[in-house]
Amino acid sequence: LYVIFRNLCLTPDGDAARQPLLSLIAEMCEKCSSISYLLLFFTSSNRRDQNDTAITAYTDLCRMLDISPIQQIVSDLEQCHLDDFVLFAHLIPKDSFLPIVSASLTWETTAQFIFWQLVHAEGVPIDWILQIIPKLQYPKHSEAIAQVYIMLQRMDREPNMGLIRNLLSRTTVDMFTVNCLKLLIKDSDYAGRVAELLSNLIDKLIQSGDLLPIHSKNKRPNQRQSCLSKDSHVAEAFLARPVLQEAFTTARAAEKVAYFA
């Protein structure tokens, strides 16, 4: 497909080879609905490196299919949303979504509720709001925090380092991060992955010298007790995982945190 799309985009309008390429792609579209949105992605992914011929490739295909470009774009986006949400995120830039989420934090409760219902209805993955997570504060943003909990419970893919890093980068002292991690490790399918990510993160912090000891005045024993007071067996089983125990042992042995133990 890449070769066909590239040849089409590099072939000038007046070239006799352009029409057979368009006919071939149009025929492929009749057999596979993903072809047209893949061409849309191809022509929009590197616009700075493309000429006018490349930009008109999609509109020329629409003409071959006897459909308006607007109708075809709508159809392609609907199909892409069902087939591949990651590719859909590239076609619909997330840059426009994050400002809306950020602005919604100041809306009235009812408006926020309606907004998040739309977000859930569209199946927006939590990856789209990772940059917002460090900014959330309880109880100031209680509505948004509740919706993040729902998104975590409905996750259909393994947690990634971006999620864990953003959760742990919060500076606000509340239970939001802890509650998120507890939701993740309750799922036996995700607990191992979360442990692995935390272990890798601890190792990176040690290697970079960013893992520093916390003075006793900054320790929060009450928060720790609260973390383990409910479902303590889940937390203890999670913390007992070999990969985390190995990371903790390495952390204790590190020069800068040796007196943690």
Side-chain angles (χ1 to χ4, degrees), residues 44-62:
S44 62
S45 58
N46 297 300
R47 292 175 182 173
R48 290 178 297 180
D49 301 328
Q50 295 175 349
N51 52 32
D52 292 339
T53 303
I55 301 301
T56 58
Y58 185 80
T59 57
D60 288 345
L61 175 63
C62 293

Side-chain angles (χ1 to χ4, degrees), residues 143-177:
E143 292 86 357
I145 286 175
Q147 302 307 320
V148 171
Y149 291 155
I150 294 175
M151 296 180 82
L152 288 174
Q153 291 174 321
R154 295 179 176 177
M155 280 181 59
D156 58 358
R157 63 194 66 87
E158 285 190 338
N160 54 42
M161 181 60 80
L163 173 59
I164 301 300
R165 189 183 297 276
N166 278 281
L167 284 173
L168 297 181
S169 65
R170 298 179 65 253
T171 58
T172 306
V173 181
D174 56 35
M175 295 298 295
F176 175 50
T177 295

Side-chain angles (χ1 to χ4, degrees), residues 40 58-59 61-63 66-78:
L40 178 62
Y58 185 80
T59 57
L61 175 63
C62 293
R63 187 179 66 253
D66 194 24
I67 186 173
S68 71
I70 295 299
Q71 289 179 307
Q72 186 62 42
I73 288 176
V74 171
S75 176
D76 283 340
L77 291 179
E78 289 178 345

Side-chain angles (χ1 to χ4, degrees), residues 106-155:
T106 62
W107 296 352
E108 296 292 334
T109 300
T110 302
Q112 289 194 52
F113 176 78
I114 295 174
F115 168 72
W116 283 104
Q117 290 302 305
L118 293 173
V119 171
H120 295 317
E122 290 297 322
V124 174
I126 197 168
D127 295 345
W128 287 27
I129 65 167
L130 291 184
Q131 297 177 37
I132 298 294
I133 288 178
K135 302 176 183 179
L136 297 180
Q137 303 176 26
Y138 184 85
K140 183 178 180 180
H141 304 130
S142 57
E143 292 86 357
I145 286 175
Q147 302 307 320
V148 171
Y149 291 155
I150 294 175
M151 296 180 82
L152 288 174
Q153 291 174 321
R154 295 179 176 177
M155 280 181 59

